Amino acid sequence: MLELRLVQGSLLKKVLESIRELVTDANFDCSATGFSLQAMDSSHVALVALLLRSEGFEHYRCDRNLSMGMNLNNVSKMLRCAGNDDIITVKADDGSDTVTFMFESPNQDKIADFEMKLMDIDSEHLGIPDAEYQAIVRMPSSEFARICKDLSSIGDTVIISVTKEGVKFSTAGDIGTANIVCRQNKTVDKPEEATIIEMQEPVSLTFALRYLNSFTKATPLSETVAISLSSDLPVVVEYKIAEMGYIRFYLAPKIEEDDDMKP
Amino acid sequence: MLELRLVQGSLLKKVLESIRELVTDANFDCSATGFSLQAMDSSHVALVALLLRSEGFEHYRCDRNLSMGMNLNNVSKMLRCAGNDDIITVKADDGSDTVTFMFESPNQDKIADFEMKLMDIDSEHLGIPDAEYQAIVRMPSSEFARICKDLSSIGDTVIISVTKEGVKFSTAGDIGTANIVCRQNKTVDKPEEATIIEMQEPVSLTFALRYLNSFTKATPLSETVAISLSSDLPVVVEYKIAEMGYIRFYLAPKIEEDDDMKP
Amino acid sequence: MLELRLVQGSLLKKVLESIRELVTDANFDCSATGFSLQAMDSSHVALVALLLRSEGFEHYRCDRNLSMGMNLNNVSKMLRCAGNDDIITVKADDGSDTVTFMFESPNQDKIADFEMKLMDIDSEHLGIPDAEYQAIVRMPSSEFARICKDLSSIGDTVIISVTKEGVKFSTAGDIGTANIVCRQNKTVDKPEEATIIEMQEPVSLTFALRYLNSFTKATPLSETVAISLSSDLPVVVEYKIAEMGYIRFYLAPKIEEDDDMKP
């Protein structure tokens, strides 16, 4: 039997909104450790990995490992029916082919339960090795989202270049070119407004803005984002979920020769 | 001659927005008692009845009974030109085929008059007998609107079931099922947040969500809604209009056999 | 070399939003005096004239007169990437076929530069003689915008009639007629809320609402608008830009016989 009770239910709503643009169907994996998901986007270019650790739930019971296949748009439709202050409980009986989402209003006057049929989804769980990155940029998540959105009005790809002084985002398109430089800045009033560069060596990589823009749907989950870059690895765009875990997006850099082949 | 002056002009704007989705053309009936309207929706399934009593107007002059046919979208277009703080006066000369809406800004610096041609609309005035209902549910209008909207993302019809403990709204659709229970709750800080059940006997009826959603356009008119249910009668969804009257929506329950015939 | 630094960068964003609906491509003319633009709308019915005086810039360097042809939608795309508190610098080298917009965040942590190719645009600079007008109406710009928008829901043209007492805006359409009268009112708490009529003689002129509505895109630039009317001249709709200049829109009145010929 599975029963996960999350007082801050709005968090689960935000998690769904973060990934449903990228992923259509996915397996949610429940174990004693936590509630997790790993899925490729429909074009098999980007990967998303979610972890919500069991300690973050008010109540967490998972008798045996369970993989629940769901259509994320349908889950999102149901979760959007939860109030922002609602407590959300996810329930599934062993062997059952349904999952139930229960929403309780803070004063307990309104209780809703939504039941959804589970799906069989083929998925291979990729092992993602821990890696050393040439550069890690930590910056306000809203700033990163704004930059990706702004550059998308000019071009399709972005070159992210990191030096000790800062990080530069560049693009070019029919109407012109754009460069946005964010300087390292550790001495701000609020730590979540800092831009911090951890760099082993300078790195400069090209990515499709379309995917980065999808990743930034996770902005409401965290005030900061960490972007880990290495020439020979996919970029990791990580949003920490306070006291619970994270959502991480992986995207392979574009290689020059790819430009003509991938739209 | 007809001359109705309403200081709280925004109320008339809200009334129009409440009904224009449901009804295209309708007769506004004016008598010494008040300003009223009764109309079927275009598919002849739902009925709306509006009453604004003469005492609610700052000035109310209606020399003889008058029935004014209007296209509600056109009335709405004109009323949307009134500021929210404007005083609205409705004027018509005896025998005239036009009606005039006059909008005065609070400081009298801006005065607008909008004249509209009246239409001839055939309509039969249905006598609606007072009835005893098996159950009357009073609840916050915004809560009812939210429930109808949320359930619409799952299914097309809702089963409303009333017991002494509370009212349950249920639906089912391709993606799953949903139940929302609102418990009776009389002891809240603000009376308009209470959910109160007056019940003679339990009742459970099925309705098309599409119409209920249309009814909830009246939500801005009142903080509470009263839903009166009996197995052999149309449901009445009533929004009181403070110190003036009401807007009531009537809808026949769906019968099992109907399910396949009405989309 | 050209280098114009504007601390209040949001102003330049608002200027672009004011004119890009009306004008597609235009030359920005820079001289020692200031930064200006004059352009006809694409249907050659309305004229827009912009002036930003050099004194209004924090730094203004223009070594020789320069005319820079730009697609306003593209400029707008770039300027929308500037934050509302950003400092904007416009730069161009002599003989260069590009212009650069630089955006600096208030704390200098984020610096963006956007480069755009210039275009060759044929344009004839019209001399606009100073004229005496029969009537000048000064009123809150938001009020004027609201009136143009409201009347557009009823008709296509507006008759603006000025007398000593006030200004009347009238229209007629399929669904009816509308008249909005704004009375002269000099004694208001805030001067920007005044409606002031300067009149030599009464005047009544007809204009296409479509263009007036386009002009009101400049509303965010100024709290007041001045409408200058004479029977034999185009109307001038002027929005002052605080301490910098103005944006003026010119539109010829409609003549009765035109009604059938111009859509």
Side-chain angles (χ1 to χ4, degrees):
Chain A
M1 192 194 167
L2 177 80
E3 193 170 303
L4 320 181
R5 185 176 158 92
L6 189 58
V7 175
Q8 203 190 340
S10 60
L11 194 147
L12 208 57
K13 300 177 66 166
K14 289 179 194 166
V15 163
L16 256 289
E17 295 308 309
S18 301
I19 55 181
R20 76 181 177 87
E21 186 178 293
L22 211 59
V23 179
T24 311
D25 300 317
N27 285 317
F28 285 89
D29 299 312
C30 306
S31 72
T33 332
F35 189 72
S36 66
L37 171 149
Q38 196 198 76
M40 298 293 288
D41 83 294
S42 46
S43 59
H44 282 254
V45 171
L47 178 81
V48 52
L50 163 76
L51 174 65
L52 298 176
R53 276 185 286 268
S54 53
E55 309 93 84
F57 291 83
E58 192 204 6
H59 173 75
Y60 191 98
R61 178 180 168 186
C62 176
D63 296 347
R64 53 189 196 110
N65 289 3
L66 202 62
S67 186
M68 300 185 292
M70 305 188 203
N71 174 287
L72 298 193
N73 269 320
N74 291 349
V75 180
S76 169
K77 272 185 193 168
M78 292 189 164
L79 290 184
R80 263 181 273 162
C81 300
N84 280 327
D85 300 325
D86 282 5
I87 299 164
I88 297 183
T89 304
V90 182
K91 286 195 256 187
D93 286 326
D94 288 336
S96 163
D97 64 346
T98 63
V99 62
T100 299
F101 299 98
M102 191 173 83
F103 313 139
E104 298 165 72
S105 69
N107 64 2
Q108 300 287 323
D109 282 346
K110 183 179 165 190
I111 294 175
D113 52 274
F114 285 70
E115 193 179 281
M116 201 177 74
K117 243 193 150 67
L118 295 174
M119 310 161 67
D120 275 324
I121 298 171
D122 281 336
S123 72
E124 33 183 344
H125 198 91
L126 305 176
I128 301 165
D130 273 335
E132 286 279 305
Y133 287 90
Q134 289 168 303
I136 301 176
V137 177
R138 287 174 219 285
M139 62 188 296
S141 60
S142 57
E143 189 71 271
F144 178 62
R146 175 78 201 260
I147 290 169
C148 292
K149 180 172 156 286
D150 283 348
L151 294 185
S152 301
S153 65
I154 311 294
D156 296 329
T157 60
V158 60
I159 304 171
I160 305 183
S161 314
V162 186
T163 64
K164 267 191 183 128
E165 286 71 38
V167 51
K168 184 167 80 169
F169 302 86
S170 309
T171 192
D174 291 343
I175 72 168
T177 61
N179 295 290
I180 301 177
V181 175
C182 296
R183 282 195 254 206
Q184 166 142 253
N185 180 356
K186 302 179 179 178
T187 56
V188 286
D189 292 349
K190 302 175 194 161
E192 65 270 20
E193 289 176 2
T195 297
I196 297 167
I197 315 278
E198 281 173 41
M199 201 193 76
Q200 312 302 323
E201 51 181 309
V203 59
S204 178
L205 295 165
T206 305
F207 301 99
L209 276 165
R210 199 188 128 206
Y211 292 100
L212 296 186
N213 269 312
S214 275
F215 301 168
T216 63
K217 299 282 174 195
T219 303
L221 278 171
S222 177
E223 295 202 46
T224 59
V225 62
I227 306 157
S228 303
L229 299 139
S230 268
S231 336
D232 45 357
L233 287 172
V235 63
V236 189
V237 178
E238 182 186 55
Y239 296 85
K240 289 244 184 268
I241 301 171
E243 286 148 50
M244 289 210 70
Y246 56 77
I247 184 160
R248 289 179 189 152
F249 300 97
Y250 298 82
L251 176 67
K254 280 178 98 79
I255 301 162
E256 287 300 303
E257 288 76 357
D258 277 12
D259 280 353
D260 291 328
M261 295 162 67
K262 293 214 179 139
Chain B
M1 191 194 168
L2 176 80
E3 193 170 303
L4 319 181
R5 185 175 158 93
L6 189 59
V7 174
Q8 203 190 339
S10 60
L11 194 147
L12 207 58
K13 299 177 66 165
K14 290 179 193 164
V15 163
L16 256 290
E17 295 308 310
S18 301
I19 55 181
R20 78 181 177 85
E21 185 177 294
L22 212 58
V23 179
T24 311
D25 300 316
N27 285 315
F28 285 90
D29 299 311
C30 307
S31 72
T33 330
F35 189 71
S36 65
L37 170 148
Q38 198 199 74
M40 300 291 288
D41 84 291
S42 47
S43 58
H44 281 252
V45 170
L47 178 81
V48 52
L50 163 76
L51 174 65
L52 299 176
R53 275 185 287 269
S54 53
E55 308 92 83
F57 291 84
E58 193 205 6
H59 172 75
Y60 191 96
R61 178 179 167 186
C62 176
D63 297 347
R64 53 188 197 110
N65 289 3
L66 202 62
S67 187
M68 300 185 293
M70 305 189 205
N71 175 287
L72 297 193
N73 269 319
N74 291 349
V75 179
S76 169
K77 271 184 193 169
M78 291 189 164
L79 289 183
R80 261 181 273 161
C81 300
N84 280 329
D85 299 325
D86 282 6
I87 299 163
I88 297 184
T89 304
V90 182
K91 284 194 258 189
D93 287 325
D94 287 336
S96 163
D97 64 345
T98 63
V99 61
T100 299
F101 298 98
M102 192 172 84
F103 312 141
E104 298 163 74
S105 69
N107 64 1
Q108 300 287 322
D109 282 346
K110 182 179 165 192
I111 293 174
D113 53 274
F114 285 70
E115 194 179 280
M116 201 179 75
K117 243 192 150 69
L118 296 173
M119 311 162 65
D120 274 323
I121 298 170
D122 280 335
S123 73
E124 33 182 345
H125 198 91
L126 306 175
I128 302 166
D130 273 337
E132 286 281 304
Y133 288 89
Q134 289 169 301
I136 301 178
V137 177
R138 287 174 219 285
M139 62 187 296
S141 59
S142 57
E143 190 70 272
F144 177 63
R146 175 79 200 259
I147 290 169
C148 292
K149 180 173 156 285
D150 282 348
L151 294 185
S152 302
S153 65
I154 311 294
D156 296 328
T157 60
V158 60
I159 304 171
I160 305 182
S161 313
V162 186
T163 65
K164 269 194 182 126
E165 286 71 39
V167 52
K168 183 167 79 169
F169 302 86
S170 308
T171 194
D174 292 344
I175 73 168
T177 62
N179 296 290
I180 301 176
V181 175
C182 296
R183 283 194 251 206
Q184 166 142 252
N185 180 356
K186 301 179 179 177
T187 55
V188 285
D189 292 349
K190 301 176 195 161
E192 65 270 21
E193 290 177 0
T195 297
I196 297 166
I197 315 278
E198 280 172 42
M199 201 193 76
Q200 312 301 322
E201 52 182 309
V203 60
S204 179
L205 295 166
T206 305
F207 301 98
L209 276 165
R210 197 189 129 206
Y211 292 101
L212 296 186
N213 268 313
S214 275
F215 301 168
T216 63
K217 298 283 174 194
T219 302
L221 277 171
S222 177
E223 296 203 47
T224 59
V225 63
I227 306 158
S228 303
L229 299 139
S230 268
S231 338
D232 46 358
L233 287 173
V235 63
V236 189
V237 178
E238 182 186 54
Y239 296 85
K240 290 245 185 265
I241 301 171
E243 285 148 52
M244 290 211 68
Y246 56 77
I247 185 159
R248 287 179 189 152
F249 300 96
Y250 298 83
L251 177 67
K254 280 177 96 82
I255 302 163
E256 287 299 304
E257 288 75 357
D258 277 14
D259 281 352
D260 291 329
M261 295 162 67
K262 292 212 178 142
Chain C
M1 191 195 168
L2 176 81
E3 194 171 302
L4 319 181
R5 185 175 159 92
L6 189 59
V7 174
Q8 202 189 339
S10 61
L11 195 148
L12 207 58
K13 299 177 67 167
K14 290 179 193 164
V15 163
L16 255 290
E17 294 310 309
S18 302
I19 55 181
R20 77 181 176 86
E21 185 178 293
L22 211 59
V23 179
T24 311
D25 300 317
N27 285 315
F28 284 90
D29 298 311
C30 305
S31 72
T33 331
F35 189 71
S36 65
L37 170 149
Q38 197 199 74
M40 299 292 288
D41 82 292
S42 47
S43 59
H44 281 255
V45 171
L47 178 81
V48 51
L50 162 76
L51 175 65
L52 298 176
R53 275 185 287 268
S54 53
E55 308 93 83
F57 291 83
E58 193 204 4
H59 172 75
Y60 191 98
R61 176 179 169 186
C62 177
D63 297 347
R64 52 188 197 110
N65 288 4
L66 202 62
S67 188
M68 301 185 291
M70 304 189 204
N71 175 287
L72 298 194
N73 269 320
N74 291 349
V75 180
S76 168
K77 272 184 192 169
M78 292 189 164
L79 290 184
R80 262 181 273 161
C81 299
N84 280 327
D85 300 325
D86 282 5
I87 299 164
I88 297 184
T89 305
V90 183
K91 286 194 255 188
D93 287 325
D94 288 335
S96 163
D97 64 345
T98 63
V99 62
T100 298
F101 298 99
M102 191 172 85
F103 312 139
E104 298 164 73
S105 69
N107 64 2
Q108 301 287 324
D109 281 346
K110 182 179 165 190
I111 293 175
D113 52 275
F114 285 71
E115 193 179 281
M116 200 178 75
K117 244 193 147 70
L118 296 173
M119 311 163 65
D120 274 323
I121 298 170
D122 280 336
S123 74
E124 32 181 346
H125 197 90
L126 304 176
I128 301 165
D130 273 336
E132 287 280 302
Y133 287 91
Q134 288 168 303
I136 301 176
V137 177
R138 287 175 218 286
M139 62 188 295
S141 60
S142 58
E143 189 69 271
F144 178 63
R146 175 78 201 261
I147 290 170
C148 292
K149 180 173 156 286
D150 283 347
L151 294 185
S152 302
S153 66
I154 311 294
D156 296 329
T157 59
V158 59
I159 304 172
I160 305 182
S161 313
V162 186
T163 64
K164 267 190 183 130
E165 286 70 38
V167 53
K168 184 167 79 169
F169 301 87
S170 309
T171 193
D174 291 343
I175 72 167
T177 61
N179 295 291
I180 301 177
V181 174
C182 296
R183 282 194 255 205
Q184 165 141 253
N185 181 356
K186 301 178 179 179
T187 55
V188 285
D189 292 350
K190 301 176 196 161
E192 65 271 21
E193 289 177 0
T195 298
I196 297 166
I197 315 278
E198 280 172 43
M199 200 193 77
Q200 312 301 323
E201 51 181 311
V203 61
S204 179
L205 295 165
T206 306
F207 301 99
L209 276 164
R210 198 188 128 207
Y211 291 101
L212 296 186
N213 268 314
S214 274
F215 300 169
T216 63
K217 299 282 175 195
T219 303
L221 278 171
S222 177
E223 296 203 47
T224 59
V225 62
I227 307 158
S228 303
L229 300 139
S230 268
S231 338
D232 45 358
L233 288 172
V235 63
V236 189
V237 178
E238 182 186 54
Y239 296 85
K240 289 244 185 267
I241 300 171
E243 286 150 49
M244 290 212 69
Y246 56 77
I247 185 160
R248 288 179 189 152
F249 300 96
Y250 298 83
L251 176 66
K254 280 178 96 83
I255 302 164
E256 288 298 304
E257 287 76 356
D258 277 14
D259 282 352
D260 291 329
M261 295 162 66
K262 291 212 179 142

